[in-house]
Amino acid sequence: MTCCGNSALSHDLHELGYTDVTSIDFSAACIAAMRARYARCPGLRWAVMDIRALAFPDASFDVVLEKGTLDVLLVEETDPWHVSPQAAAAMHRVLAEVSRVLRPGGCFISITFAQPHFRKPHYAQEAFGWSLRHAACGDGDAGAFHYFLSPLPIKP
């Protein structure tokens, strides 16, 4: 889980049976608080880390989940149709790190309030080799969109 903040999502996943969950955030105070709050859950791991430069080895995770992290990268953009080169580069850097730490066949799940046509150009880059599926939650206009990105099948 990237940029977990003080969200209970990692714990909720643990309670649902996903007992091997690693959560990162750039805030040392936040990670310390989360470690203390969920100390009774040994399968939850917490690390201070920058999503733009993950300290994990290549192919470390079956799933990478982000919930609003990428929204923050683009929050100051005034025109979603024309993202600044700086924001596009930041988005690419994060997605390249996600791609690097995913195991072959792994899945990247992105939960965002952005409309699909604004995110697809970032996610559907050939360099990542991801197939893209999305599903709307809520009413489809104001609700969150969930993207499921995974490597494209390798053709012989």
Side-chain angles (χ1 to χ4, degrees):
M1 167 112 172
T2 65
C3 302
C4 61
N6 62 3
S7 169
L9 182 56
S10 298
H11 177 258
D12 293 346
L13 291 169
H14 182 271
E15 293 299 301
L16 288 170
Y18 299 95
T19 56
D20 185 14
V21 178
T22 300
S23 301
I24 67 165
D25 199 279
F26 65 91
S27 168
C30 178
I31 290 298
M34 296 302 277
R35 275 189 189 123
R37 182 180 302 160
Y38 298 115
R40 70 188 186 285
C41 303
L44 295 180
R45 287 183 304 286
W46 308 93
V48 176
M49 203 173 298
D50 186 334
I51 184 67
R52 297 167 297 177
L54 297 172
F56 302 113
D58 294 359
S60 295
F61 297 98
D62 294 317
V63 176
V64 174
L65 170 67
E66 75 86 15
K67 181 176 67 77
T69 302
L70 300 178
D71 293 342
V72 171
L73 294 176
L74 301 177
V75 74
E76 293 185 9
E77 294 298 302
T78 57
D79 182 356
W81 294 106
H82 303 98
V83 175
S84 70
Q86 296 84 358
M91 179 75 84
H92 183 82
R93 185 173 178 185
V94 168
L95 294 174
E97 281 294 279
V98 167
S99 181
R100 181 184 66 76
V101 301
L102 275 175
R103 288 188 180 119
C107 183
F108 172 45
I109 301 171
S110 176
I111 302 171
T112 179
F113 284 105
Q115 297 290 318
H117 48 276
F118 295 131
R119 282 294 190 261
K120 188 173 181 180
H122 300 287
Y123 296 148
Q125 295 183 34
E126 190 174 327
F128 305 135
W130 291 336
S131 62
L132 172 64
R133 291 184 303 139
H134 71 85
C137 296
D139 63 15
D141 289 327
F145 289 90
H146 301 255
Y147 291 86
F148 305 92
L149 301 104
S150 55
L152 293 169
I154 297 172
K155 297 182 181 178

